[in-house]
């Protein structure tokens, strides 16, 4: 199969979908791998590294999209990339369609077979291709929040750890999953006072078992969240419903009761965000203010550390990339966990959660495969 890895074009996105090690494995299996010139430079991977591994270096995206049967990316295709997709071409990338109707419609029009990293499942439970980036985003969230709390950034001028005789900052984490757990670990390490809210008893038990009394936990209810928001210096939005839009846990009205210069880091922004006032931002313009509260809503947070993120992501995706390259769409029939990532196929939405979130018709994947 012809496999293509284009250079990412999203704002300040320096990750790349394949490492030279992954290219080498594909080439050894008899596949042709095309890598766009400069695709790995931001992650410290040169064109020479890819050539040595056996890749063909191509000059631009047109050669990737016109020549590849399987396009492997990191972030969702941008408008100019969606216009290049062909009917029947396989796209394997993060898509996050539940909060992006325009992208969903364009992918449907393309006729491509679109498989989303974020809904591929594991035999052991969980989302194995979302997890590594969730771990990194969770670890980055307290760092981003700490910067935004600095006075020069418009924040309250609060240090997460406090100082001798001065209490630490109050960090509230909404969600006790992968992002929330990693955010709690880093915030605790930075010396903050941390409380984590979640609707599930089991995630809260796991978090309590890991951190003991260092991180306080509370069942998430609208009343509890309203009180937590009022007290918080930093809120980290970490709630996830796989494939669906994130729940809106912080309303516009709650902002009025927050401290001036408090910060919201909404890691769930890829799925629409946990806060009513959240909207997507970029690394070049990461934050904005609503009612005196700073909102940091960068949609590709792990792109800030592209080398770490590239190796973590590519290691997780490679077995699935190899299966798709070896078997084509047969890989979906052979692996129900990979098939769980199938989201758009031949003009239809085949993921029920995405269809419901966007108010679009849902077509069962079996119907698509038979056609």
């Amino acid at each position: 199969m012809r496999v293509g890895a284009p250079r990412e074009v999203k704002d300040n996105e320096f990750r790349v979908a394949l490492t030279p090690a992954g290219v080498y494995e594909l080439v050894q299996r008899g596949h042709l791998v095309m890598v766009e010139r400069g695709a790995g430079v931001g992650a410290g991977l040169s064109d020479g590294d890819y050539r040595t591994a056996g890749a063909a270096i191509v000059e631009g995206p047109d050669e990737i999209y016109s020549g590849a049967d399987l396009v492997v990316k990191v972030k969702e295709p941008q408008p100019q990339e969606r216009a290049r997709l062909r009917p029947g071409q396989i796209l394997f990338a993060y898509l996050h369609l539940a909060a992006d109707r325009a992208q969903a419609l364009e992918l449907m029009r393309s006729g491509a077979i679109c498989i989303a990293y974020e809904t591929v499942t594991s035999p052991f439970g969980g989302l194995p291709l979302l997890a590594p980036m969730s771990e990194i985003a969770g670890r980055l969230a307290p760092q981003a929040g700490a910067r935004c709390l600095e006075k020069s950034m418009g924040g309250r001028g609060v240090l997460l750890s406090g100082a001798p005789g001065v209490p630490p900052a109050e960090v509230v984490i909404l969600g006790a999953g992968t992002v929330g757990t990693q955010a709690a670990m880093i915030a605790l390490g930075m010396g903050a006072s941390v409380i984590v809210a979640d609707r599930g008893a089991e995630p809260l038990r796991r978090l309590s078992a890991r951190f003991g009394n260092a991180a306080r936990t509370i069942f998430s209810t609208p009343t509890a969240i309203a009180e937590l928001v009022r007290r918080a210096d930093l809120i980290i939005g970490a709630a996830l419903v796989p494939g669906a839009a994130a729940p809106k846990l912080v309303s516009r009205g709650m902002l009025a009761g927050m401290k001036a210069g408090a910060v919201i880091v909404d890691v769930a922004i890829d799925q629409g965000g946990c806060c009513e006032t959240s909207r997507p931002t970029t690394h070049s313009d990461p934050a904005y203010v609503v009612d005196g509260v700073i909102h940091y809503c960068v949609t590709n947070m792990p792109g800030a550390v592209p080398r770490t993120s590239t190796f973590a992501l590519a290691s997780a995706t490679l077995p699935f990339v190899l299966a798709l390259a070896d078997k084509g769409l047969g890989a979906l029939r052979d692996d129900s966990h990979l098939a769980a990532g199938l989201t758009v196929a031949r003009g239809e939405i085949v993921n029920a959660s995405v269809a419901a979130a966007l108010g679009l018709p849902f077509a069962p994947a079996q119907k698509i495969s038979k056609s």
Side-chain angles (χ1 to χ4, degrees):
M1 182 177 282
R2 295 169 297 175
V3 181
R7 184 171 184 164
E8 298 291 324
V9 297
K10 190 178 177 80
D11 181 273
N12 278 271
E13 181 53 75
F14 301 110
R15 290 173 287 180
V16 61
L18 291 175
T19 63
V23 168
Y24 180 81
E25 289 201 40
L26 284 161
V27 171
Q28 290 303 300
R29 291 172 179 242
H31 304 295
L32 171 65
V33 182
M34 297 175 286
V35 176
E36 185 177 345
R37 184 176 300 280
V41 170
L45 300 169
S46 70
D47 293 339
D49 295 331
Y50 285 103
R51 280 198 194 92
T52 300
I57 303 299
V58 302
E59 291 300 322
D62 285 338
E63 294 178 69
I64 295 286
Y65 287 94
S66 64
D69 306 301
L70 167 62
V71 176
V72 185
K73 278 180 47 60
V74 178
K75 287 303 291 178
E76 71 281 354
Q78 301 302 291
Q80 66 269 38
E81 296 175 302
R82 301 197 287 267
R84 293 185 170 102
L85 290 168
R86 309 190 318 271
Q89 190 172 47
I90 303 172
L91 171 68
F92 194 30
Y94 287 118
L95 298 179
H96 297 292
L97 294 183
D100 194 343
R101 184 183 180 89
Q103 184 196 173
L105 292 174
E106 289 186 33
L107 292 181
M108 292 168 70
R109 284 194 289 269
S110 76
I113 311 295
C114 305
I115 305 168
Y117 291 161
E118 68 271 13
T119 54
V120 172
T121 57
S122 163
F124 310 104
L127 304 169
L129 306 189
L130 185 62
M133 296 302 96
S134 294
E135 289 167 348
I136 291 172
R139 295 181 182 201
L140 284 170
Q143 292 182 200
R147 288 198 306 272
C148 290
L149 279 170
E150 295 175 9
K151 199 65 177 177
S152 62
M153 298 291 290
R156 299 193 67 229
V158 170
L159 183 65
L160 283 192
S161 64
V166 181
E170 293 279 342
V171 176
V172 171
I173 301 172
L174 303 177
T178 301
V179 170
T181 299
Q182 298 299 314
M185 178 181 71
I186 298 302
L188 288 168
M190 296 173 78
S193 174
V194 175
I195 186 164
V196 183
D198 197 285
R199 292 185 68 86
E202 190 55 37
L204 293 177
R205 287 194 187 98
R206 286 197 300 267
L207 194 137
S208 291
R210 177 167 180 172
F211 299 117
N213 293 328
R216 293 165 291 158
T217 60
I218 188 170
F219 283 106
S220 177
T221 66
T223 301
I225 290 175
E227 176 59 23
L228 293 173
V229 164
R230 186 184 65 80
R231 293 162 39 191
D233 296 296
L234 168 61
I235 297 170
I236 296 174
L240 171 71
V241 179
K248 299 297 184 188
L249 303 177
V250 179
S251 69
R252 174 70 182 265
M254 291 180 186
L255 267 60
M258 291 183 67
K259 302 170 183 176
V263 174
I264 295 171
V265 175
D266 201 339
V267 185
I269 192 62
D270 273 327
Q271 297 293 115
C274 296
C275 305
E276 188 179 355
T277 46
S278 292
R279 57 175 173 80
T281 63
T282 64
H283 285 292
S284 59
D285 189 14
Y288 60 94
V289 180
V290 177
D291 295 344
V293 176
I294 299 171
H295 292 57
Y296 179 100
C297 304
V298 174
T299 56
N300 58 329
M301 287 179 65
V305 286
R307 187 169 179 86
T308 299
S309 298
T310 289
F311 281 92
L313 177 61
S315 296
T317 59
L318 182 58
F320 298 101
V321 173
L322 293 172
L324 286 167
D326 289 345
K327 303 176 182 179
L329 296 182
L332 301 178
R333 292 190 294 270
D334 293 346
D335 186 349
S336 62
H337 299 288
L338 176 58
L342 185 62
T343 303
V344 178
R346 299 190 178 99
E348 304 275 6
I349 299 286
V350 296
N351 179 291
S353 296
V354 169
L358 297 176
L360 293 172
F362 165 66
Q366 293 88 342
K367 172 184 171 184
I368 301 300
S369 63
K370 287 177 183 176
S371 67

